């Protein structure tokens, strides 16, 4: 029996039970749609964060402390300051390292701009002008003296304003001290909208956190470091050198908690780590969604068994007019494959639709997870074959004499 | 075309007086296997079939029957006499425990399952009591179905199915599904389907059992027309007036042939052959 005829007959029998067929495929539709939706959302999230970064490769790396979170998923940043001034100086001496900019957080109670005050939203960070070497300035330039500040573009969101170089900003520190600074520049260092609004202040003037080093001295200490490298070609050896130093000789290695880990990352590393995290998350959610697929395939198997029983007499007639076992088998298999395939295709469309809606609302870019779409279709066909196999086999070995006696 | 088998049939009925028990060989002529020189369409030879339903039931207990090409044989008998089993053997739906079944020159018991399916599809046409059309297919598609399994080309199939439906008088009901047809019309579709692959033999199981008398008679008229066109027919029935349309009636009892009754072709169906004028009128008739 040729496939076209088989498809036609199978399609006819599916459409003659519209409600039943719809409900049967619903399981597969939901499963596939859920998987595709999560893949679109995951991909969109990833793209929104990573997309702009990948374009610009810079000879910069960051040094921060991280640890495994208690729930064991992804990584967690540790903000205990452990990088001492001696570490900064030692790192600057390493081969290939051009500069080292420390980052220390400053508690800001309030920030005031243009008669508007916000409390707690804007964070302060003490650093050196070097830190901005590879950043893009929307306006102005890095600060170079005590009463200047650089603000991140997102500070605009906090004030719903449009800060530009030369304007004044009043910051209130946690100890109550007030300070008016001039905005030297507005920097675009936002990684996909993930960082908070930041006011960068000169480290010499504003950083006061110190610690007793293992040598017994008292030194300023920082939460993280930004390391500038001479050229892109020096990044790899410099990364190794920095990692080695921090792991073996630094004060930081002595000051850190045992479970904490000092991470030296280039932007690429950070992107990779982030992608990994998002990938793990989407795969996990996808796996949950895949359970719906299993349920869907059981639904198809169930309905096909019912269908075989219902059509026992029809099978008898077909055998009486010359259908071979494989013809009958093919007929039922084609029917269940059509159901699975329709489920997968509709599921992909629904998934893309819901995903599109989601990324549009969240203002992430739309991503078409081609590989997952292909997987979904293959799985749909597989579900059809898998769940149709047993019913089709049962149909094929129906005894025509029994079947023709069957009412 | 019609006359030559009729002549030989009348010879047959002369040698076999109606109502005479004929299981014994008389004058060297065995009425059960005698073909009057015509080719054999299908034959069973000494077939036995036993079912075990708690205790053995001999559905067929040594039956031999030859169907000459162009013959019309009715099988009668009480229920449990083996009628259906005999039909299933001729239909290649079942195989005998002993003995041979030969359809159009092929010995069925030597064939594989798939080959028997092919024989069913190409050499045999079935007509059932319940018509048994596929409910979701139109008349044309139902008729084309055996050709589908036989791998015939689409347009070719369609043309032939249409031709067959016209032949049984349903040229105006081609695209109707079974529920839109009357019982008589459905049985005509079933007959057209049975003829789809030009079978050597048409097997009918109580073909008029679900029809009213008048429609039943019309279907029998169609059978006789087909028989007149050289189609070999084996029909199981329990109604005497239906069986009367055949050339001969085989009476089965307890799995054995009790009697073979030859009928006078001029008085078949209790009346002369219908005029060509009122043969197939296309109206079908209701049920």
């Amino acid at each position: 029996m040729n496939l076209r005829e088989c498809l036609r007959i199978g399609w006819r029998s599916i459409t003659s039970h519209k409600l039943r067929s719809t409900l049967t495929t619903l399981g597969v539709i939901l499963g596939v749609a859920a998987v595709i939706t999560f893949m679109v959302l995951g991909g969109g999230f990833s793209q929104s964060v990573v997309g702009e970064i990948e374009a610009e490769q810079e000879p910069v790396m960051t040094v921060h402390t991280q640890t495994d979170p208690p729930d064991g998923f992804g990584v967690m940043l540790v903000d205990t300051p452990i990088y001492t001034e001696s570490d900064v100086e030692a790192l600057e001496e390493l081969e290939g390292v051009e500069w080292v900019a420390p980052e220390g957080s400053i508690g800001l109670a309030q920030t005031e701009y243009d008669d508007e005050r916000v409390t707690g939203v804007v964070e302060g960070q003490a650093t050196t002008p070097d830190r901005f070497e590879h950043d893009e300035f929307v306006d102005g330039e890095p600060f170079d003296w005590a009463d200047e500040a650089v603000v991140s573009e997102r500070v605009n969101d906090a004030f719903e304003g449009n800060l530009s170089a030369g304007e004044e900003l009043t910051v209130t520190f946690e100890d109550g001290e007030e300070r008016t600074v001039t905005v030297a520049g507005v920097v675009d260092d936002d990684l996909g909208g993930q960082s908070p609004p930041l006011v960068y202040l000169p480290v010499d003037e504003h950083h006061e956190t110190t610690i007793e080093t293992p040598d017994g001295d008292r030194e300023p200490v920082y939460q993280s470091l930004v390391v500038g490298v001479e050229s892109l070609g020096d990044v790899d050896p410099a990364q190794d050198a920095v990692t080695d130093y921090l792991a073996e000789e630094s004060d930081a290695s002595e000051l850190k908690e045992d479970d904490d880990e000092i991470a030296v990352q280039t932007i690429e590393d950070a992107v990779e780590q982030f992608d990994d995290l998002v990938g793990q998350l989407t795969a996990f959610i996808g796996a949950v969604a895949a359970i719906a697929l299993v349920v869907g395939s059981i639904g198809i198997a169930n309905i096909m068994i019912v269908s075989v029983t219902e059509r026992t007499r029809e099978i008898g007639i077909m055998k009486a007019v010359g259908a071979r076992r494989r013809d009958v088998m093919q007929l039922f298999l084609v029917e269940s494959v059509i159901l699975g395939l329709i489920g997968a295709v509709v599921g992909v469309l629904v998934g893309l639709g819901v995903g599109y809606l989601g990324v549009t609302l969240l203002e992430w870019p739309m991503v078409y997870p081609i590989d997952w779409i292909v997987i979904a279709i293959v799985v749909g066909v597989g579900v059809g074959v898998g769940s149709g196999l047993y019913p089709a086999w049962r149909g094929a070995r129906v005894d025509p004499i029994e079947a023709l006696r069957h009412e | 075309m019609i006359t030559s088998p009729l002549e030989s049939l009348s010879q047959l009925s002369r040698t076999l007086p109606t109502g005479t028990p004929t299981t014994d060989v008389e004058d060297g002529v065995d009425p059960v296997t005698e073909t009057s020189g015509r080719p054999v369409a299908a034959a069973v030879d000494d077939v036995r079939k036993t079912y075990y339903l708690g205790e053995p039931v001999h559905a067929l207990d040594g039956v031999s029957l030859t169907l000459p090409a162009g013959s019309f044989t009715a099988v009668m008998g009480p229920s449990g006499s083996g009628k259906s089993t005999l039909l299933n053997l001729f239909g290649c739906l079942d195989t005998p425990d002993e003995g041979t079944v030969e359809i159009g020159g092929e010995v069925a018991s030597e064939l594989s399952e798939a080959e028997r399916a092919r024989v069913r599809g190409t050499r045999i046409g079935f007509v059932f009591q319940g018509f048994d059309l596929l409910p979701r297919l139109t008349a044309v598609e139902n008729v084309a179905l055996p050709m589908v399994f036989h791998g015939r080309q689409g347009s070719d199939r369609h043309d032939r199915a249409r031709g067959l439906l016209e032949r049984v008088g349903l040229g105006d009901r081609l695209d109707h599904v079974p529920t839109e047809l009357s019982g008589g019309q459905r049985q005509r579709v079933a007959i057209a389907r049975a003829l789809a692959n030009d079978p050597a033999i048409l097997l009918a199981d109580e073909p008029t059992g679900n029809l009213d008398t008048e429609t039943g008679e019309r279907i029998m008229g169609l059978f006789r027309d087909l028989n007149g066109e050289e189609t070999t027919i084996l029909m199981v029935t329990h109604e005497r007036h239906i069986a009367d349309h055949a050339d001969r009636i085989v009476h089965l009892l307890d799995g054995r042939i009790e009697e073979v009754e030859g009928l006078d072709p001029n008085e078949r169906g209790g009346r002369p052959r219908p005029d060509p004028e009122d043969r197939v009128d296309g109206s079908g008739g209701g049920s």
Side-chain angles (χ1 to χ4, degrees):
Chain A
M1 180 175 198
N2 78 35
L3 198 61
R4 223 184 86 212
E5 200 60 27
C6 206
L7 282 170
R8 218 166 55 84
I9 294 177
W11 179 248
R12 191 78 61 88
S13 103
I14 286 170
T15 50
S16 67
H17 294 114
K18 285 197 186 65
L19 181 63
R20 178 202 283 192
S21 306
T22 310
L23 292 176
T24 306
T25 47
L26 209 56
V28 179
I29 293 177
L30 288 179
V32 170
V35 172
I36 296 294
T37 301
F38 285 121
M39 293 310 154
V40 170
L41 291 178
F45 179 52
S46 215
Q47 278 285 304
S48 77
V49 175
V50 166
E52 52 201 271
I53 306 168
E54 268 175 335
E56 36 186 293
Q57 249 194 344
E58 304 286 1
V60 177
M61 49 203 170
T62 59
V63 177
H64 61 260
T65 322
Q66 62 187 33
T67 188
D68 291 328
D71 59 7
F73 207 68
V75 293
M76 196 165 75
L77 290 182
V78 176
D79 59 3
T80 318
I82 56 168
Y83 306 98
T84 63
E85 191 63 38
S86 328
D87 287 343
V88 172
E89 282 158 19
L91 286 174
E92 276 178 329
E93 298 305 313
L94 292 174
E95 180 88 29
V97 173
E98 196 181 357
W99 47 260
V100 175
E103 289 183 321
S105 74
I106 307 168
L108 291 186
Q110 238 173 26
T111 316
E112 186 180 337
Y113 162 70
D114 202 16
D115 289 339
E116 201 183 331
R117 278 175 198 209
V118 293
T119 305
V121 177
V122 178
E123 293 179 16
Q125 188 152 68
T127 188
T128 57
D130 286 338
R131 189 204 169 290
F132 305 108
E133 185 174 328
H134 300 291
D135 285 338
E136 197 179 316
F137 274 80
V138 179
D139 192 32
E141 53 184 23
F143 48 70
D144 59 11
W145 59 287
D147 283 335
E148 284 187 332
V150 166
V151 297
S152 73
E153 220 183 344
R154 292 211 59 195
V155 173
N156 280 330
D157 298 346
F159 290 107
E160 289 167 20
N162 193 8
L163 277 88
S164 54
E167 292 188 281
E168 288 196 338
L169 203 63
T170 306
V171 292
T172 311
F173 299 106
E174 276 173 343
D175 60 7
E177 189 198 340
E178 247 182 59
R179 191 84 177 253
T180 299
V181 291
T182 309
V183 175
V186 181
V187 72
D188 169 22
D189 65 348
D190 187 17
L191 296 190
Q194 302 312 299
S195 36
L198 277 169
V199 174
Y200 296 99
L201 297 164
V203 73
D204 303 339
E205 191 72 17
H206 298 282
H207 189 76
E208 284 161 3
T209 315
T210 57
I211 200 166
E212 191 176 332
T213 66
D215 304 334
D217 303 328
R218 190 150 273 280
E219 282 185 19
V221 69
Y222 309 101
Q223 271 98 350
S224 54
L225 307 173
V226 179
V227 179
V229 182
E230 280 158 14
S231 70
L232 277 174
D234 294 324
V235 169
D236 285 347
Q239 188 177 13
D240 292 344
V242 170
T243 309
D244 286 351
Y245 170 79
L246 286 173
E248 281 152 32
E249 296 165 53
S250 67
D251 295 339
S253 63
E254 307 261 342
L255 293 169
K256 76 176 179 71
E257 298 286 330
D258 288 347
D259 292 342
D260 294 349
E261 184 196 341
I262 295 171
V264 180
Q265 287 184 330
T266 62
I267 291 178
E268 280 174 327
D269 293 339
V271 166
E272 207 171 291
Q273 188 182 20
F274 182 78
D275 261 356
D276 265 11
L277 181 67
V278 173
Q280 275 180 46
L281 210 70
T282 41
F284 175 73
I285 301 172
V288 175
I291 294 173
L293 268 183
V294 175
V295 176
S297 69
I298 294 172
I300 293 187
N302 188 20
I303 219 66
M304 290 309 296
I305 289 174
V306 171
S307 178
V308 165
T309 312
E310 260 182 8
R311 284 192 264 165
T312 301
R313 193 171 174 91
E314 274 181 44
I315 295 170
I317 301 165
M318 288 195 286
K319 285 197 164 178
V321 300
R324 288 161 299 173
R325 279 186 182 174
R326 47 168 292 200
D327 292 324
V328 176
M329 181 121 185
Q330 191 183 345
L331 212 55
F332 282 97
L333 262 187
V334 160
E335 209 173 307
S336 66
V337 168
I338 293 177
L339 285 176
L341 191 62
I342 291 177
V345 170
V346 175
V348 164
L349 294 177
V350 171
L352 288 177
V354 174
Y356 180 77
L357 219 69
V359 295
T360 309
L361 284 175
L362 294 163
E363 294 179 347
W364 294 338
M366 180 64 189
V367 169
Y368 294 90
I370 302 294
D371 43 353
W372 282 97
I373 292 174
V374 172
I375 290 171
I377 306 264
V378 171
V379 167
V381 173
V383 161
V385 173
S387 57
L389 218 49
Y390 173 68
W393 177 77
R394 258 176 61 155
R397 55 185 282 277
V398 160
D399 176 2
I401 300 169
E402 286 296 320
L404 288 168
R405 217 175 282 157
H406 185 99
E407 285 303 329
Chain B
M1 185 181 181
I2 294 176
T3 50
S4 65
L6 289 185
E7 273 168 13
S8 53
L9 280 170
S10 50
Q11 285 162 11
L12 180 67
S13 62
R14 254 178 265 123
T15 46
L16 307 166
T18 313
T20 315
T22 50
T23 33
D24 294 325
V25 176
E26 285 176 18
D27 306 329
V29 177
D30 180 351
V32 171
T33 52
E34 142 71 32
T35 63
S36 303
R38 286 177 295 173
V40 174
V44 294
D45 182 30
D46 195 26
V47 288
R48 283 160 211 278
K49 183 82 189 175
T50 307
Y51 294 111
Y52 295 90
L53 304 163
E55 56 190 73
V57 176
H58 300 288
L60 288 177
D61 195 9
V63 169
S64 301
L65 183 63
T66 300
L67 306 178
S71 66
F72 187 171
T73 308
V75 178
M76 293 191 74
S79 64
S81 60
K83 303 189 297 284
S84 297
T85 306
L86 184 63
L87 199 76
N88 288 341
L89 288 181
F90 271 113
C92 263
L93 288 171
D94 208 350
T95 48
D97 298 334
E98 279 175 53
T100 55
V101 179
E102 196 187 314
I103 317 281
E106 295 189 75
V107 180
S109 42
E110 290 170 4
L111 301 177
S112 70
E113 163 79 24
E115 283 169 328
R116 283 208 303 278
R118 178 181 52 77
V119 169
R120 281 200 292 273
T122 56
R123 309 262 180 173
I124 296 160
F126 280 97
V127 178
F128 304 99
Q129 177 174 8
F131 323 134
D132 286 320
L133 304 174
L134 295 194
R136 288 176 295 276
L137 303 185
T138 63
V140 168
E141 288 168 334
N142 262 293
V143 174
L145 193 65
M147 298 185 265
V148 168
F149 296 124
H150 194 44
R152 208 154 159 164
Q153 280 307 306
S155 56
D156 188 17
R157 238 170 21 218
H158 205 78
D159 290 346
R160 176 157 171 82
R162 199 177 313 151
L164 286 165
L165 281 170
E166 277 161 9
R167 189 164 151 202
V168 300
L170 285 179
D172 55 344
R173 292 284 188 278
L174 299 176
D175 295 318
H176 291 239
V177 291
T179 48
E180 298 166 349
L181 299 170
S182 70
Q185 288 170 333
R186 288 185 213 177
Q187 195 59 300
R188 282 161 194 266
V189 175
I191 292 165
R193 180 182 62 191
L195 298 173
N197 282 327
D198 239 338
I201 167 174
L202 184 69
L203 300 175
D205 189 359
E206 305 272 12
T208 60
N210 281 6
L211 299 174
D212 61 59
T213 316
E214 194 193 332
T215 315
E217 284 300 328
R218 288 198 199 172
I219 293 294
M220 279 304 105
L222 179 57
F223 268 50
R224 293 207 330 211
D225 291 339
L226 294 170
N227 182 231
E229 292 163 29
E230 295 290 275
T231 305
T232 310
I233 300 175
L234 178 67
M235 174 176 74
V236 165
T237 183
H238 63 269
E239 292 173 287
R240 178 72 208 197
H241 71 275
I242 294 299
D244 279 345
H245 289 277
D247 307 337
R248 55 173 179 170
I249 302 175
V250 175
H251 292 272
L252 282 182
L253 187 65
D254 295 335
R256 290 170 172 278
I257 293 179
E258 186 194 33
E259 179 192 354
V260 175
E261 187 183 340
L263 296 177
D264 181 348
N266 294 318
E267 288 176 21
R268 291 202 299 183
R271 58 186 171 129
R273 258 177 185 272
D275 264 352
E277 290 293 303
D278 62 69
R279 271 165 62 162
V280 173
D281 58 5
S283 64
S287 68

